Amino acid sequence: MNDNELFDLMCEKLYTAVVSDTLDELGHRNQVMRENIVPLSLEWIVAGRAKTILAVDVHHIPENPYEKEIAAVDSVKPGEIVVGCTNESKQNGLWGELLSTASKARGARGAIVDGLIRDTKKILELDFPVFATGTKPVDSKGRGLVIDYDVPVVCGGVLVYPGDVIFADRDGVVCIPQNLVQEVVEIALDKATRENHTRDELLVGKTLREVYDKYGVL
């Protein structure tokens, strides 16, 4: 199964809660980003490889303020999700319509930003899944500067390495370490199936104790 098939399967069959539970079972209990990183559309479900971008706040307009930002977006590969670390900036509107358009055209599956974004109407029309902490209609020039990309970043309190798998839906954003992806997906698919059986039997009147003893999920 190639990456795109895997990511499509995750989006069809899984949800962040079951993936988070699976990571907990494997001893990785800090893989869910902060609750304030939310999607523009609650309908969006997205999975892909982390393409990390690191930005910092600035208080001047540097020479060539977009140089690293342009290079980062132009290097996006199919199947990636941009993970934009702004160090939770309240002044930098890192992401917007044009970066979303350029990323989508290069095959990106979405973007996760631990800060503010703009052009949300256009992003929604583009149907490019973007998760962020809020909106602010400001340009990054003179407020934030991309200083590196394809490096480990902390986004929403989670350490993300390039190539980790990001999975996100209306409940939140989960980061799966790349060496655990196959194991996590296999366990999560099994758990999701058992949860479906549990739900079906609860609906016909079985007690929670009965179905928990049978399927072992809650």
Side-chain angles (χ1 to χ4, degrees):
M1 184 181 299
N2 63 36
D3 268 3
N4 278 331
E5 291 170 339
L6 176 66
F7 300 150
D8 288 345
L9 175 66
M10 292 173 68
C11 291
E12 179 185 354
K13 300 290 187 180
L14 298 179
Y15 37 95
T16 52
V18 76
V19 172
S20 174
D21 288 354
T22 300
L23 285 161
D24 281 353
E25 291 174 14
L26 296 174
H28 295 264
R29 298 181 59 86
N30 186 39
Q31 299 304 125
V32 177
M33 295 186 187
R34 288 198 185 92
E35 66 283 351
N36 60 341
I37 300 179
V38 297
L40 289 180
S41 168
L42 294 177
E43 301 307 309
W44 283 337
I45 304 171
V46 64
R49 297 277 176 187
K51 168 73 178 187
T52 59
I53 295 178
L54 178 61
V56 297
D57 281 358
V58 294
H59 305 281
H60 70 290
I61 298 177
E63 187 176 356
N64 301 318
Y66 303 122
E67 184 172 4
K68 284 272 190 181
E69 183 176 313
I70 290 170
V73 173
D74 281 348
S75 69
V76 166
K77 297 180 179 63
E80 290 186 325
I81 292 177
V82 174
V83 177
C85 170
T86 71
N87 296 290
E88 303 180 18
S89 173
K90 300 297 190 295
Q91 71 172 22
N92 177 19
L94 173 68
W95 200 260
E97 172 202 2
L98 297 183
L99 298 190
S100 295
T101 303
S103 297
K104 182 173 183 176
R106 298 196 63 79
R109 298 175 71 102
I112 312 294
V113 182
D114 73 345
L116 307 173
I117 61 172
R118 64 180 191 168
D119 305 323
T120 56
K121 182 175 183 292
K122 295 293 186 181
I123 293 172
L124 286 165
E125 290 172 355
L126 186 64
D127 194 28
F128 182 73
V130 177
F131 292 60
T133 63
T135 62
K136 195 172 189 177
V138 293
D139 186 16
S140 62
K141 184 168 68 175
R143 298 183 178 91
L145 183 69
V146 172
I147 61 171
D148 213 343
Y149 58 95
D150 295 336
V151 295
V153 300
V154 174
C155 185
V158 176
L159 180 60
V160 180
Y161 290 87
D164 286 349
V165 168
I166 303 298
F167 184 55
D169 61 18
R170 64 172 63 196
D171 283 342
V173 184
V174 183
C175 175
I176 308 171
Q178 55 186 310
N179 64 318
L180 295 176
V181 173
Q182 293 296 334
E183 183 178 11
V184 167
V185 171
E186 288 174 9
I187 295 172
L189 285 169
D190 174 69
K191 183 176 174 64
T193 299
R194 287 184 286 124
E195 287 189 354
N196 290 337
H197 291 320
T198 295
R199 184 186 314 109
D200 291 342
E201 294 194 19
L202 287 171
L203 286 170
V204 297
K206 294 289 183 68
T207 67
L208 191 57
R209 170 53 62 188
E210 286 176 311
V211 292
Y212 179 75
D213 287 346
K214 184 175 181 180
Y215 297 111
V217 294
L218 192 61

